[in-house]
């Protein structure tokens, strides 16, 4: 059972525009996802269990259909059969449907203030888009362990010190591997992304931070 509260919106996100680095298409998108998963797995942030992806028709739009494809084994390298398995899952009645953003869903490890490790479902969200306008990727986080304050505004530096450096190291490695620096996403009610982690908001007079539990 999860021991962390998960925000309904991201606390921070990072976007890579790969249009000038990798060509569009399903195969390049999956190859990029595998490389990104390898890095995230190295830092204990993502062990993939399944893929989810929506479908759209060019010049028509999204179909409102989401497909889930379970992975028999964690992604540890290119799977030559995966593109065809995804195409074979195309919704009947929509022969022109194409895959939208592919979400890699799995679990990751976070470390508490005492150094104990815990496995958490969907610790990070990774998506890669194969659309013809250009390949792109996005990483998002939804928990308070990456920031100086928890969701109630209480400082928890011991937790941040155990987890934020791992996220920063993963983002650094992803930037290097992809050849493009991530662009921080827009701020949300739950946090603001910096170049390599979550920004610390201004503290109140009593040293506490924003209490965002009213929207959890």
């Amino acid at each position: 059972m999860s021991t962390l509260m998960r925000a309904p919106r991201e606390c921070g996100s990072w976007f890579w525009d790969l249009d000038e680095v990798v060509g569009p298409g399903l195969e390049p998108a999956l190859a990029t996802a595998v490389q990104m998963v390898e890095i995230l797995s190295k830092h204990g942030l993502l062990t993939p269990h399944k893929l989810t992806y929506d479908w759209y028709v060019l010049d028509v739009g999204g179909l409102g259909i989401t497909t889930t494809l379970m992975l028999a084994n964690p992604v540890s390298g290119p799977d030559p059969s995966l593109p065809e398995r995804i195409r074979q899952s195309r919704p009947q009645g929509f022969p022109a449907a194409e895959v939208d953003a592919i979400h890699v869903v799995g679990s990751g490890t976070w470390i508490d203030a005492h150094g104990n490790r815990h496995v958490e479902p969907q610790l990070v969200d990774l998506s890669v888009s194969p659309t013809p306008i250009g390949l792109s990727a996005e990483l998002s986080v939804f928990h308070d362990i990456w920031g100086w304050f928890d969701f109630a505004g209480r400082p928890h530096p011991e937790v941040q010190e155990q987890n934020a450096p791992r996220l920063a190291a993963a983002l650094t490695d992803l930037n290097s591997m992809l050849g493009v620096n991530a662009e921080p996403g827009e701020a949300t009610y739950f946090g603001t992304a910096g170049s390599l982690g979550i920004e610390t908001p201004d503290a109140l007079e009593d040293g506490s931070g924003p209490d965002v539990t009213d929207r959890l």
Side-chain angles (χ1 to χ4, degrees), residues 1-6 110 119-121 143:
M1 183 176 179
S2 175
T3 58
L4 294 179
M5 289 189 292
R6 179 182 171 89
W110 70 280
V119 176
E120 182 73 15
H143 301 91

Side-chain angles (χ1 to χ4, degrees), residues 152-169:
R154 298 179 297 248
H156 61 172
E158 297 85 359
V159 174
Q160 185 200 36
E161 290 167 4
Q162 295 280 11
N163 297 285
R166 300 163 56 226
L167 177 61

Side-chain angles (χ1 to χ4, degrees), residues 160-204:
Q160 185 200 36
E161 290 167 4
Q162 295 280 11
N163 297 285
R166 300 163 56 226
L167 177 61
L171 288 168
T172 299
D173 288 350
L174 288 169
N175 287 340
S176 177
M177 183 275 292
L178 295 170
V180 177
N181 287 336
E183 302 173 12
E186 294 184 1
T188 72
Y189 187 71
F190 303 98
T192 302
S195 58
L196 294 175
I198 302 300
E199 296 287 318
T200 300
D202 293 335
L204 303 177

Side-chain angles (χ1 to χ4, degrees), residues 36-183:
M36 297 181 75
V37 165
E38 288 175 346
I39 289 174
L40 294 168
S41 178
K42 180 182 72 172
H43 294 284
L45 302 181
L46 178 60
T47 298
H49 304 307
K50 62 184 178 182
L51 305 178
T52 65
Y53 41 93
D54 298 329
W55 296 89
Y56 75 96
V57 174
L58 192 63
D59 298 327
V60 175
L63 300 178
I65 298 173
T66 300
T67 299
T68 298
L69 180 64
M70 303 302 297
L71 300 172
N73 298 297
V75 175
S76 58
D79 179 356
S81 69
L82 195 54
E84 188 58 27
R85 290 172 62 197
I86 289 176
R87 291 189 176 99
Q88 289 175 349
S89 69
R90 179 180 285 112
Q92 291 186 355
F94 299 94
E98 298 292 343
V99 175
D100 206 341
I102 301 168
H103 293 264
V104 183
V105 182
S107 58
T109 300
W110 70 280
I111 307 172
D112 65 25
H114 305 290
N116 299 312
R117 294 177 175 269
H118 308 269
V119 176
E120 182 73 15
Q122 293 182 275
L123 186 68
V124 301
D125 181 77
L126 172 66
S127 64
V128 180
S129 174
T131 55
I133 60 173
L135 195 144
S136 62
E138 186 172 20
L139 182 73
S140 304
V141 295
F142 295 80
H143 301 91
D144 60 9
I145 61 173
W146 318 106
W148 183 260
F149 301 106
D150 67 13
F151 283 143
R154 298 179 297 248
H156 61 172
E158 297 85 359
V159 174
Q160 185 200 36
E161 290 167 4
Q162 295 280 11
N163 297 285
R166 300 163 56 226
L167 177 61
L171 288 168
T172 299
D173 288 350
L174 288 169
N175 287 340
S176 177
M177 183 275 292
L178 295 170
V180 177
N181 287 336
E183 302 173 12

